[in-house]
């Protein structure tokens, strides 16, 4: 069906813009990924922008669905219900982008959309819906994004956003005219980025994040005019293939990307910025009104997460280990960006375990209770691993379908993926312990699968409400001991319940006990259980790890 142009800003225009931007980024994703050489040559800028806009578009759709549902109910009882207001739509867009932002580029785009929203949704029910409002929104977006970056660099998406705002400032006419001027200004600035940033010039490419923003602005032009602007000129990928061979920044850099959402007060976030700026680089903190998205590259991922804990409540934490040989960890002349032969991608429930897995060379996706990762996040992690062969460890029985969908998508992209159905992080630890990249892929997968399958798993947690279980009825605040996913023990004391669970598991034999302590585990529990094993079970070893905020008080593995 032909698109109907919008002559002014309203909720429908926002919905159309998000949909068109998502479609355009979907088409351009691989091209943008291919020219991604700054700040890290990890080939994921297009993917990150796509996932960020996907989250924004889904939030806008949810607002429309809510109003449509209200309208249906209203017509049934004789009352009226309107469509979303512009303020409702842009706030949903900004919030969706904020919580779904991926990577450096996605985080900056989220702040650009938030900056626009602060203008378009101003003054309650009388938002700026005309060309003047759009000019103001583009200017505020560019300025707020620049403020969100700890150390702005010219020749990046920030430069392109500022050029778009400058061009819009000088444009008369309606929203379509302003959008077209912003797009043309952004295109001109994009073409100049190689002359501003040496790494781009050496690689023969334009800035990938800037090209993504030009794509998003082209969708805005199409929203208002019905006309689809031409894609960025061919020089955007001149020698893009040769860029695989080119030098990149002359300095080394941190080994991990850390991203999380954070509930915190403004003053605490100011302190967090200073703390993270001292820990690493590529620091971008966006958001406001108590909810923030934090992105930073560091060597000490645990310290970056702990800084968030000190500032407020971090969640949806994602820690990615840059692939071996990545420019960010080597510095100087970069060898051709060949894929490594094999990698492990694992979902882990706590920051402590994420550190353990990443030290072992795995790419991690950090999950919180009640907030499981989507298949798109797992696919992105597989891409970031940059390997020909990937072993995927979901470490949660509830993620088996999500992980299977991610594996299928990665296989469609030419990556050989083996999904080992680990149901707990302790099974993942056992699998990772026998992982040998030098072995044939099938042999490695069989060995890892066997190790995981030979590991019984348990957890100790506190009941949130009264419930029926395999061990009887539990009450809120009872201590539950789950063995292989089923409640086996109901108790009143954490240490006593943990000891009972451990005894039941070791009754069937075992050689190694793995204990993973949550941040709420009582003091002395590890020492008590270690003593119990030492005194009662000969020739059984015990290892202890600290998992951080992992949901369960204690995870137990017996091999």
């Amino acid at each position: 069906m032909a698109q109907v142009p919008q002559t002014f800003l309203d909720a429908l225009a926002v919905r159309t813009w998000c949909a068109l931007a998502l479609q355009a980024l979907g088409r351009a994703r691989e091209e943008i990924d291919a020219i991604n050489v700054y700040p890290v040559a990890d080939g994921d800028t297009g993917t990150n922008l796509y996932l960020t806009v996907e989250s924004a578009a889904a939030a806008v759709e949810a607002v429309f669905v809510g109003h449509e549902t209200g309208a249906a109910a209203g017509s049934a009882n004789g009352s009226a219900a309107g469509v979303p207001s512009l303020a409702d739509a842009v706030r949903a867009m900004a919030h969706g982008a904020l919580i779904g932002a991926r990577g450096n580029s996605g985080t900056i785009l989220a702040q650009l959309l938030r900056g626009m929203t602060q203008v378009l949704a101003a003054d309650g029910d009388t938002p700026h819906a005309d060309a003047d409002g759009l000019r103001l929104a583009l200017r505020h977006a560019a300025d707020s994004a620049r403020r969100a970056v700890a150390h702005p660099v010219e020749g990046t998406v920030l430069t392109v956003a500022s050029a778009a705002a400058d061009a819009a400032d000088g444009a008369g006419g309606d929203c379509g005219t302003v959008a077209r001027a912003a797009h043309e200004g952004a295109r001109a600035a994009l073409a100049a980025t190689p002359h501003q940033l040496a790494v781009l010039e050496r690689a023969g490419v334009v800035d990938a994040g800037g090209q993504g923003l030009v794509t998003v602005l082209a969708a805005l032009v199409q929203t208002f005019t019905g006309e689809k602007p031409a894609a960025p000129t061919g020089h955007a990928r001149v020698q893009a293939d040769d860029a695989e061979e080119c030098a990149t920044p002359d300095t080394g850099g941190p080994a991990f990307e850390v991203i999380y959402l954070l509930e915190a007060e403004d003053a605490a976030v100011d302190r967090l910025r200073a703390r993270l700026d001292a820990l690493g680089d590529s620091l971008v903190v966006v958001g406001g009104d108590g909810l923030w998205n934090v992105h930073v590259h560091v060597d000490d991922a645990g310290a970056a997460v702990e800084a968030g804990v000190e500032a407020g409540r971090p969640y949806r934490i994602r820690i990615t280990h840059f692939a071996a040989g990545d420019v960010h960890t080597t510095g100087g002349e970069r060898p051709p960006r060949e894929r490594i032969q094999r990698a492990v991608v694992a979902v882990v429930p706590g920051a402590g375990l994420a550190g353990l897995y990443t030290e072992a060379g795995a790419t991690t996706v950090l999950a919180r209770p009640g907030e499981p990762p989507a298949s798109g996040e797992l696919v992105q992690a597989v891409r970031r691993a940059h390997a020909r062969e990937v072993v995927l460890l979901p470490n949660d029985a509830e993620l088996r379908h999500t992980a299977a969908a991610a594996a299928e998508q990665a296989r469609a992209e030419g990556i050989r993926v083996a999904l080992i159905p680990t149901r707990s992080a302790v099974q993942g630890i056992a699998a990772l312990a026998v992982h040998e990249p030098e072995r044939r892929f099938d042999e490695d997968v069989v060995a890892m699968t066997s190790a995981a399958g030979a590991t019984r798993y348990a957890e100790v947690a506190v009941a949130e409400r009264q419930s029926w279980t395999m061990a009887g009825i539990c009450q809120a605040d009872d201590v539950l001991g789950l063995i292989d996913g089923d409640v086996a023990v109901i108790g009143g004391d954490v240490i006593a319940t943990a000891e009972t669970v451990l005894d039941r598991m070791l009754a069937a034999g075992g050689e190694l006990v793995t204990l993973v302590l949550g941040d709420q585990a009582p003091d002395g529990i590890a020492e008590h259980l270690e003593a119990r094993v030492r005194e009662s079970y000969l020739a059984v070893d015990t290892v202890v790890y600290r998992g951080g905020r992992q949901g369960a008080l204690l995870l137990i593995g017996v091999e």
Side-chain angles (χ1 to χ4, degrees):
M1 188 172 75
Q3 178 204 333
V4 178
Q6 292 282 136
T7 57
F8 59 92
L9 277 161
D10 61 6
L12 181 59
V14 174
R15 184 189 206 182
T16 303
W17 181 30
C18 287
L20 291 174
L22 186 62
Q23 293 170 12
L25 286 170
R27 293 189 296 268
R29 179 183 63 78
E30 292 185 2
E31 178 178 351
I32 297 172
D33 282 347
I35 64 171
N36 173 201
V37 298
Y38 183 86
V40 183
D42 48 0
D44 65 354
T45 292
T47 299
N48 287 337
L49 290 169
Y50 178 86
L51 292 172
T52 302
V53 173
E54 182 180 46
S55 182
V60 173
E61 282 301 312
V63 169
F64 271 86
V65 170
H67 278 265
E68 288 165 2
T69 302
S75 76
N77 60 27
S79 62
V83 297
S85 67
L86 172 59
D88 289 339
V90 293
R91 286 175 183 142
M93 174 184 69
H95 181 74
L98 177 67
I99 65 174
R102 301 290 190 273
N104 190 71
S105 56
T107 307
I108 292 173
L109 178 61
Q111 186 65 14
L112 288 167
L113 296 179
R114 177 179 171 80
M116 292 186 70
T117 294
Q118 289 173 325
V119 172
L120 299 177
D123 302 324
D125 295 328
T126 58
H128 301 285
D130 57 6
D132 287 339
L134 182 57
R135 291 188 195 92
L136 289 172
L138 291 168
R139 169 55 59 197
H140 189 66
D143 293 346
S144 63
R146 190 170 287 269
R147 288 192 297 269
V149 177
H151 302 285
V153 174
E154 297 306 326
T156 66
V157 63
L158 297 176
T159 305
V160 175
S162 293
D166 290 343
D169 284 343
D174 60 10
C175 286
T177 304
V178 172
R180 186 179 287 107
H183 174 255
E184 291 173 355
R187 276 175 59 102
L190 176 67
T193 55
H195 306 301
Q196 296 173 291
L197 203 53
V199 58
L200 301 178
E201 187 170 34
R202 287 196 295 268
V205 298
V206 296
D207 180 66
Q211 182 158 333
L213 179 58
V214 170
T215 302
V216 171
L217 290 173
L220 185 63
V221 174
Q222 188 176 357
T223 298
F224 287 123
T225 68
E227 301 170 4
K228 183 178 177 182
T233 54
H235 80 276
R237 289 206 58 192
V238 166
Q239 302 174 16
D241 295 332
D242 294 339
E244 303 288 325
E245 309 286 338
C246 291
T248 53
D250 295 330
T251 58
F256 300 101
E257 179 183 59
V258 178
I259 306 173
Y260 49 80
L261 292 178
L262 177 70
E263 294 178 356
E265 299 298 323
D266 290 5
V269 172
D270 289 340
R271 293 191 294 271
L272 174 67
R273 282 193 175 99
R275 174 90 178 272
L276 293 179
D277 194 25
L279 285 175
D281 62 27
S282 295
L283 173 61
V284 186
V285 181
V286 305
D289 302 319
L291 180 62
W292 308 82
N293 190 305
V294 179
H295 169 279
V296 68
H297 295 169
V298 293
D299 280 321
D300 190 343
V305 175
E306 287 303 316
V309 172
E310 292 177 9
R313 186 179 82 89
Y315 60 104
R316 292 193 185 177
I317 304 168
R318 293 185 295 279
I319 300 175
T320 302
H321 183 235
F322 292 118
D326 193 293
V327 61
H328 215 54
T329 58
T330 58
E333 292 292 320
R334 177 168 67 88
R337 288 187 65 241
E338 291 291 332
R339 289 183 179 274
I340 61 174
Q341 184 59 33
R342 189 174 308 158
V344 176
V345 173
V347 180
V348 291
L353 279 179
L356 173 68
Y357 273 76
T358 52
E359 286 173 10
T363 295
T364 61
V365 178
L366 206 154
R368 287 179 58 84
E371 298 172 355
S375 62
E377 293 179 71
L378 300 186
V379 172
Q380 185 188 24
V382 170
R383 293 178 184 136
R384 292 290 293 273
H386 204 62
R388 297 183 182 89
E389 302 167 340
V390 171
V391 179
L392 182 57
L393 306 175
N395 291 340
D396 186 339
E398 298 299 319
L399 287 177
R400 61 188 184 278
H401 296 307
T402 299
E408 280 302 313
Q409 183 172 341
R411 290 181 189 122
E413 297 177 8
I415 303 170
R416 189 179 185 188
V417 181
L419 171 61
I420 298 179
T422 48
R423 294 173 289 173
S424 169
V426 292
Q427 288 189 323
I429 291 172
L432 200 56
V434 301
H435 169 54
E436 292 185 14
E438 295 77 18
R439 275 192 299 224
R440 290 179 56 247
F441 186 61
D442 292 340
E443 292 176 356
D444 197 29
V445 171
V446 167
M448 294 176 72
T449 302
S450 178
T455 302
R456 299 188 70 199
Y457 65 97
E459 67 177 79
V460 176
V462 176
E464 296 181 356
R465 63 184 68 85
Q466 183 186 64
S467 180
W468 291 87
T469 76
M470 296 289 288
I473 300 175
C474 71
Q475 305 296 326
D477 298 326
D478 279 349
V479 180
L480 306 180
L482 294 84
I483 299 177
D484 294 335
D486 293 321
V487 176
V489 180
I490 300 175
D493 179 78
V494 174
I495 293 178
T497 301
E499 182 177 310
T500 301
V501 169
L502 187 56
D503 285 341
R504 291 195 185 184
M505 296 180 75
L506 286 172
E511 300 175 353
L512 176 66
V513 172
T514 300
L515 304 175
V516 182
L517 307 181
D519 60 351
Q520 298 298 314
D523 294 338
I525 187 172
E527 293 79 3
H528 180 90
L529 296 178
E530 284 181 293
R532 174 68 177 174
V533 172
R534 187 168 55 250
E535 295 166 4
S536 303
Y537 302 96
L538 299 178
V540 177
D541 295 323
T542 305
V543 293
V544 180
Y545 303 109
R546 297 198 173 274
R549 293 189 176 187
Q550 62 183 21
L553 297 173
L554 175 70
L555 301 178
I556 303 173
V558 174
E559 302 174 46

